[in-house]
Structure formats: C-alpha cells, structure tokens
Amino acid sequence: MAGSTGSFDTEAKKVGVQPPGGDGKLILATLRALTFVTSLTAFLLVVTNRQSVGTGASKAWAKWHYDGTF
C-alpha cells in the first residue's frame, strides 16, 4: 500500500492474506536481487557509454550528461 509504514506481514494480515514462507521468501529475495543487479547494470551501461560523431581528427563525443532529460 502506498504511503504505508507497516511491513508486508502486517499489511497482509489486515486483508487476510498469508505472507510467503519458506521457499516463497527465497524466491522474493532472488527476484529482488535480480532486479537490483539488472538496474545497476543498465545504469552502468548508460553512464559509461561513449559514442563518437565525426570523421578523421575531429570527433565529438556524445555522453549521457549532455542530455538534460537524464
């Protein structure tokens, strides 16, 4: 629930849903870790990406911080 300060267990009990136990907690932890690693990888790719524009001796580099939308 948005803006809630309670834990999943507390919120689940309020609506009558049993929180995951045993393998369910392992699956949730694995999915959270996978999501974190994927997000971190995407961030690093955006930050370290370099693209050159131009020919010969004159090249311009396009970087993520040149674009105000980021």
Side-chain angles (χ1 to χ4, degrees):
M1 296 184 165
S4 175
T5 58
S7 68
F8 175 79
D9 293 340
T10 304
E11 295 297 322
K13 288 176 185 174
K14 286 181 184 177
V15 294
V17 176
Q18 293 297 321
D23 290 339
K25 287 188 177 186
L26 178 63
I27 291 171
L28 286 177
T30 303
L31 287 174
R32 287 180 180 171
L34 183 62
T35 303
F36 175 76
V37 169
T38 304
S39 298
L40 182 63
T41 302
F43 174 75
L44 291 175
L45 284 174
V46 168
V47 170
T48 60
N49 189 22
R50 294 180 69 188
Q51 181 178 3
S52 64
V53 178
T55 58
S58 65
K59 286 189 177 181
W61 295 98
K63 295 183 181 179
W64 68 273
H65 62 269
Y66 294 157
D67 189 359
T69 59
F70 290 112

